[in-house]
Amino acid sequence: MSYPYRAVTVLCLVFSVLPFSHGVTEGDEEFDTQTLGNFYVFADQVIHIINPSNLSVIGNITRDNLGAPLTNNGSLGGDSNTSRTWNDAVLVENPSLGTRHVFVNEGDVYQSSNGSQYSYVSVIDTVSQKIVARPQVGATPVHIYYVNETSSAWSHSDGQGSFFVLTPESATNVTLAAVVPSYVSSQMHGKLIVNGAINPSSYGSNVGEQVLEKFNLTTNTRTNHFNFSSFLPDPSVCVGTHTIVYSQVNQHIYVECVDGAGTIEWNTLNDTFVTLQPYVGTLYNAPAGDLIFVTNTDNSTSAALHPGVNGNASYLYQYIEIGYQPSDPVLYSNATSSLPAGAGNYSAFFPTVRNTNINNIAQAAAAGGSVTEYGYYGQNTADDNSTPVECKYNSTSATGTTGLQLLNGSNGEPATPDCGACAAGITPLDPTQYNASLAGLGVIALSNLSGNASTANATLVSAGAAAPQLSLASNANECSFAQVARGAVRGGPFIAVTADLPQSSVYIVDAAAPGTPLYGQGYVLTADSPVTVTWVPYEEGTAAAPSPAVAMG
């Protein structure tokens, strides 16, 4: 297998100012500020190791610990030509053992002879730069977290609704320390808070029930759960929860409602309900906890909330208009203190996921709408479903298990056969059918926020685009889109963000470059479908990168 690598350095001299218009912390953010290191980029049948300082690929991992290629052969629906499905990745350090590993969840599902289903987590030793272990976990693990105090990784199985706690025992051996249920009655997708300010306590979410879970990260146990429905103005809303963050300022957690009902604010000191905030979207917290970002992909804004005193509801500090359908921000500061700096010291980089397909853009406009309007992608919904504005649907065609079908014209054929995700260039992907310059990173210096609840505008930095995907959900409307995500992470002075367009690549933005809105920027070509990226700094005392290699097992 070969890849057409080339590093391209560009300098964006002009960026458009936008008109008004993935998340929780994972525990390994403490490594983000370490200056020297590499990005690990997970793509089609390969894991690239990229040196951002010179935009070079210094290694490729193409085989697992048993020497097998990185395909999903043997999984349900898998084959020898299809890549393993890469979900979240996290860096796990064990100082007592002197080890560092990257743990990455694999989304492919396998079935044992007794009918039980399971998946794997690939474990990469960052010294040898090889996959050294592949422990089994519950089916469909999506999110994974690093718990510093126990040097363990908590991998959440959506299929089983439990956390699988994995602990390195040596450079090549990883054991399953515990399986921790993360549900009361509904085994579904969930997330976890990892924040040293409340250690060993933690809280978890579940998209399928009106319950907050509480955990002890040291004993690997679920210690309590709280049904919040009776506190809501309408107990039938907020049917489940998703992203969840913590603020050390007021010692509250903030929890996203999956149905768009708002954001729950919860007091961790006495585990009581504070309020249901009206702001809708995924959540991310500034490192010092002094701003909480509620990013709404569908309306292209982020509401920055300011925590008050314990027990009192937070207030709106500022709206940020990002445009072009943003996801959760990556924050950068040049502050050198070991303590988190105040939010005003940071710049926020919001990866944008807007549809840049020129056919969709033209068709939506002709129908009197836009590819950025609510519901076109369905980003802030609980499932992979949408209603592209140019698609004409038979309003009576949906059933309890299937979505809407396209409306037939007088000739008995669909009236809009090329609408939405059925448009040219989407499947198969044809880069000539896109204008990738319409997406990238929405950037704003948080020092520019005035705190008067008005609107501040971000600036678009061109950094490629994500490819839209046809929804394969069983209840999806015909020609509707799946949710779209981009991998993005900080590594020292760099921000890395994955892109499918105009070519498969990872963009590297030098966030420390002087001048606003100019940022030194380049990209490195990758194999198809780069979806996940994580930062691996060099070991303390290491002055130079490991020796470059062309391919690694």
Side-chain angles (χ1 to χ4, degrees):
M1 185 179 298
S2 62
Y3 310 101
Y5 296 119
R6 60 188 177 95
V8 182
T9 302
V10 297
L11 183 64
C12 294
L13 298 178
V14 180
F15 303 112
S16 59
V17 177
L18 305 180
F20 182 74
S21 36
H22 133 358
V24 297
T25 55
E26 295 179 334
D28 64 350
E29 287 78 14
E30 64 182 85
F31 302 114
D32 291 354
T33 58
Q34 297 182 28
T35 304
L36 299 175
N38 300 315
F39 289 109
Y40 281 47
V41 180
F42 298 80
D44 188 1
Q45 301 185 51
V46 64
I47 302 164
H48 303 303
I49 303 172
I50 293 175
N51 181 348
S53 298
N54 59 12
L55 298 177
S56 66
V57 177
I58 67 168
N60 302 307
I61 301 172
T62 59
R63 300 272 171 176
D64 66 15
N65 54 311
L66 300 180
L70 303 183
T71 68
N72 65 359
N73 193 32
S75 67
L76 298 178
D79 58 52
S80 59
N81 297 312
T82 303
S83 178
R84 293 176 185 174
T85 301
W86 307 117
N87 288 330
D88 281 0
V90 70
L91 179 62
V92 174
E93 181 180 58
N94 189 321
S96 64
L97 296 175
T99 59
R100 275 184 176 178
H101 295 93
V102 173
F103 285 63
V104 58
N105 282 338
E106 298 181 24
D108 308 292
V109 178
Y110 300 77
Q111 187 163 295
S112 63
S113 57
N114 65 6
S116 62
Q117 296 183 345
Y118 60 92
S119 295
Y120 290 101
V121 175
S122 280
V123 181
I124 305 166
D125 172 38
T126 63
V127 176
S128 66
Q129 296 180 332
K130 294 181 178 181
I131 296 175
V132 295
R134 196 173 175 229
Q136 285 188 19
V137 295
T140 322
V142 176
H143 299 300
I144 190 167
Y145 306 89
Y146 167 53
V147 179
N148 180 19
E149 290 74 14
T150 59
S151 299
S152 61
W154 283 50
S155 172
H156 189 269
S157 160
D158 288 2
Q160 186 169 320
S162 297
F163 287 101
F164 285 70
V165 183
L166 303 169
T167 303
E169 300 294 340
S170 70
T172 59
N173 183 34
V174 175
T175 61
L176 177 62
V179 178
V180 186
S182 63
Y183 64 94
V184 175
S185 60
S186 181
Q187 302 177 14
M188 298 186 74
H189 180 78
K191 286 177 173 276
L192 183 74
I193 288 174
V194 178
N195 191 309
I198 54 172
N199 185 69
S201 292
S202 179
Y203 293 81
S205 64
N206 185 320
V207 300
E209 56 188 8
Q210 294 176 301
V211 171
L212 295 178
E213 305 290 346
K214 191 171 185 178
F215 303 94
N216 186 305
L217 299 180
T218 300
T219 61
N220 299 332
T221 55
R222 184 179 60 158
T223 58
N224 212 334
H225 66 270
F226 308 98
N227 189 314
F228 54 78
S229 61
S230 63
F231 302 109
L232 301 174
D234 178 357
S236 68
V237 304
C238 200
V239 296
T241 57
H242 188 219
T243 52
I244 178 170
V245 299
Y246 173 79
S247 170
Q248 52 268 49
V249 173
N250 60 3
Q251 297 164 300
H252 291 181
I253 61 172
Y254 302 76
V255 193
E256 173 197 4
C257 295
V258 296
D259 55 4
T263 299
I264 289 175
E265 191 167 349
W266 185 269
N267 188 347
T268 66
L269 287 188
N270 52 15
D271 282 317
T272 55
F273 178 85
V274 177
T275 191
L276 178 65
Q277 295 277 3
Y279 310 105
V280 175
T282 56
L283 303 171
Y284 195 83
N285 57 303
D290 48 347
L291 282 182
I292 306 296
F293 298 94
V294 188
T295 303
N296 189 313
T297 300
D298 282 319
N299 69 18
S300 295
T301 64
S302 186
L305 305 183
H306 193 287
V309 299
N310 177 262
N312 289 357
S314 302
Y315 63 90
L316 177 65
Y317 189 77
Q318 192 103 40
Y319 267 117
I320 304 173
E321 170 129 14
I322 301 129
Y324 307 111
Q325 298 183 286
S327 51
D328 294 318
V330 177
L331 301 185
Y332 168 78
S333 171
N334 60 5
T336 58
S337 171
S338 59
L339 297 175
N345 293 279
Y346 287 85
S347 291
F349 293 75
F350 293 85
T352 66
V353 297
R354 73 154 288 175
N355 186 339
T356 62
N357 181 280
I358 57 177
N359 304 296
N360 286 154
I361 294 170
Q363 291 172 355
S370 167
V371 296
T372 62
E373 69 183 40
Y374 180 82
Y376 196 94
Y377 259 177
Q379 289 295 113
N380 285 91
T381 61
D383 53 22
D384 276 359
N385 204 357
S386 68
T387 52
V389 64
E390 71 269 25
C391 291
K392 294 182 179 180
Y393 288 109
N394 181 343
S395 61
T396 64
S397 59
T399 69
T401 58
T402 62
L404 295 170
Q405 301 301 300
L406 292 177
L407 179 70
N408 287 337
S410 58
N411 62 355
E413 298 296 324
T416 54
D418 301 321
C419 71
C422 297
I426 293 178
T427 305
L429 180 65
D430 179 359
T432 66
Q433 301 298 305
Y434 293 84
N435 181 2
S437 66
L438 297 176
L441 293 166
V443 184
I444 187 167
L446 299 184
S447 59
N448 291 337
L449 303 186
S450 61
N452 60 2
S454 62
T455 301
N457 292 322
T459 299
L460 182 66
V461 173
S462 180
Q469 303 286 333
L470 173 69
S471 177
L472 300 178
S474 60
N475 65 339
N477 300 328
E478 191 173 2
C479 297
S480 72
F481 290 97
Q483 294 189 29
V484 179
R486 300 181 71 178
V489 70
R490 175 188 174 183
F494 304 106
I495 306 293
V497 58
T498 61
D500 303 303
L501 299 161
Q503 62 274 308
S504 297
S505 56
V506 59
Y507 277 75
I508 310 292
V509 174
D510 184 357
T516 301
L518 304 181
Y519 290 86
Q521 179 194 11
Y523 64 85
V524 180
L525 294 186
T526 68
D528 291 343
S529 303
V531 293
T532 299
V533 58
T534 196
W535 172 247
V536 178
Y538 303 149
E539 298 281 354
E540 277 189 49
T542 301
S547 299
V550 175
M552 300 178 184

